[in-house]
Amino acid sequence: MEALLAIETSCDETAVAVLSPEGILSEEVYSQSEHARFGGVVPELAARDHQRRLPSMVHSVLSKAGLNAKDLVEIAYTHGPGLAGCLLVGHHYALGLSLASDAPLRGIHHLEGHVMSVLIGTDYATWFDAYQALCPALVLVVSGGHTILLAVREGAYTYLGETADDAVGEVFDKIARLMGLPYPGGAKLSAHARQGRPVYPLPRPMIQTRDASMSFSGLKTAAAQLYHQLGLDGQPWGQAHCDFAASVESALVDTLMHKITQCADAHELHTVAVCGGVAANQLLRERILRWCAATGRQAWLPHPLYCGDNASMIGVAAWIRRATGMPVADAAIRLRARLLWEG
Ligand code: KG4
Ligand code: ZN
């Protein structure tokens, strides 16, 4: 049986997985928690932790899969975008293992991995069958670093648009931090939002534009101002905090829904997928499912376990690239995403 090893170290998750063309043979994800006390990821600490953990994690997934490095047909790793030191650790480890085992290396774009996460857990015989069923699709990648809309067709990506400034996950995290919630606060803010009602007015930025361009920094600033105006700063947690959280979440999700519906119509795409850390957001998932059901569209959402960073999604992307003969990351997805992330 053919198998490949996948390595993901772009940010604060060390993740490794072994996959066949049909499924995941073994996988591990370690989420670094030491960044919480700094209120954000400290790149140097993250890179050093990847370096510490990667060898034993790779050993562990290979032995759980009953394989050794010589059995691998390929080693896939995240080549970017991400934190430079963290990516270097993953790349060099993969390179060393490739030299030692003769398994060829394949760099995978992190966002392409997120796109492919929607194929995990579906009941198609192979990853490629699932990919063919997905395409063509409108895909929103919504994470801590990116908010980007793509049209995904077999063998190609078309860039439609992205945020000009903050990513949606970043807004969730920054507002959560303002409210005193530990990093990364997106899921915690959302949990509080479920106890509240979206009673406070906040803008839905750029919904009047008929394209996929987005911007979230104005909404973030408006939310921060509202928080202070409401006098919630330093107050004991109460209903108003939950209502505020619900108002922020609702403004973000409304704006995303607006962009998704507009793009799906404009590009006549009847399959819609959402992926990346924020795809775990309950309200966003409910809204997508409801809208797809109402308009006869198909929704593809990753299992919540595969919304965040993981190596299986990198492995799936590698299998799809092998199957379609796509050589390296597609320029449309690579160039645009790198511009924002790497500055
Ligand atoms: O894709 P990801 O794991 O890492 C990046 O590549 O950025 O995404 C992490 C982001 C964080 O901003 C986190 O707060 C956010 O996803 N997130 C959520 C939820 N779960 C994770 N945001 C809103 N609601 C959630 N349930
Ligand atoms: Zn990610």
Side-chain angles (χ1 to χ4, degrees):
M1 175 200 32
E2 288 193 317
L4 61 73
L5 171 73
I7 296 175
E8 154 65 43
T9 60
S10 64
C11 192
D12 56 346
E13 261 90 23
T14 315
V16 292
V18 180
L19 290 90
S20 74
E22 291 90 27
I24 299 168
L25 301 178
S26 59
E27 63 178 331
E28 286 186 14
V29 181
Y30 174 81
S31 292
Q32 302 173 355
S33 53
E34 64 267 42
H35 305 290
R37 66 195 162 108
F38 300 105
V41 179
V42 183
E44 183 64 21
L45 290 182
R48 283 170 190 254
D49 206 35
H50 289 311
Q51 195 163 22
R52 247 189 317 270
R53 292 180 195 277
L54 208 44
S56 60
M57 287 177 70
V58 167
H59 188 265
S60 165
V61 283
L62 283 173
S63 75
K64 278 191 233 165
L67 299 169
N68 69 56
K70 291 264 180 214
D71 302 319
L72 299 169
V73 295
E74 202 172 271
I75 298 170
Y77 69 97
T78 304
H79 70 56
L83 300 171
C86 296
L87 292 166
L88 270 176
V89 171
H91 182 191
H92 282 113
Y93 188 85
L95 184 60
L97 199 59
S98 162
L99 290 172
S101 65
D102 286 333
L105 265 191
R106 186 188 294 267
I108 292 288
H109 191 284
H110 182 73
L111 298 195
E112 183 172 26
H114 276 302
V115 171
M116 298 307 170
S117 70
V118 304
L119 308 182
I120 302 173
T122 56
D123 45 15
Y124 294 92
T126 67
W127 300 120
F128 188 61
D129 289 342
Y131 174 69
Q132 284 187 309
L134 170 75
C135 293
L138 173 71
V139 181
L140 170 71
V141 188
V142 65
S143 70
H146 294 92
T147 302
I148 179 168
L149 275 155
L150 300 163
V152 181
R153 297 192 174 83
E154 215 177 299
Y157 296 93
T158 310
Y159 170 87
L160 301 178
E162 71 191 306
T163 179
D165 37 55
D166 292 32
V168 169
E170 205 177 335
V171 177
F172 266 109
D173 293 343
K174 284 182 178 162
I175 299 298
R177 186 178 181 180
L178 183 72
M179 299 181 80
L181 300 169
Y183 178 87
K188 295 163 195 106
L189 185 143
S190 178
H192 289 295
R194 294 196 81 75
Q195 314 300 317
R197 288 181 307 122
V199 292
Y200 302 120
L202 281 170
R204 271 68 175 154
M206 297 183 77
I207 57 172
Q208 70 291 353
T209 62
R210 296 201 56 79
D211 58 17
S213 52
M214 295 171 268
S215 163
F216 293 98
S217 73
L219 168 50
K220 180 189 65 186
T221 307
Q225 280 169 351
L226 175 66
Y227 187 72
H228 297 305
Q229 275 161 14
L230 293 171
L232 298 178
D233 228 352
Q235 291 298 313
W237 202 279
Q239 188 58 42
H241 288 81
C242 295
D243 289 346
F244 171 77
S247 305
V248 173
E249 182 177 61
S250 161
L252 288 167
V253 171
D254 271 357
T255 309
L256 290 176
M257 285 307 298
H258 202 90
K259 290 291 169 181
I260 290 170
T261 53
Q262 226 164 39
C263 278
D265 284 342
H267 297 274
E268 294 182 14
L269 291 163
H270 300 289
T271 298
V272 175
V274 182
C275 56
V278 183
N281 183 272
Q282 197 80 34
L283 179 66
L284 180 59
R285 295 175 80 91
E286 287 164 9
R287 292 278 303 273
I288 293 278
L289 290 172
R290 216 180 317 139
W291 172 70
C292 283
T295 59
R297 287 187 164 83
Q298 248 197 53
W300 289 57
L301 299 172
H303 186 283
L305 282 176
Y306 293 98
C307 290
D309 292 344
N310 64 88
S312 292
M313 68 185 194
I314 302 301
V316 175
W319 278 119
I320 300 301
R321 281 197 170 259
R322 273 175 80 86
T324 52
M326 288 190 280
V328 289
D330 187 280
I333 189 171
R334 186 177 68 226
L335 292 177
R336 294 298 188 150
R338 286 203 154 193
L339 280 177
L340 256 192
W341 189 283
E342 294 179 352

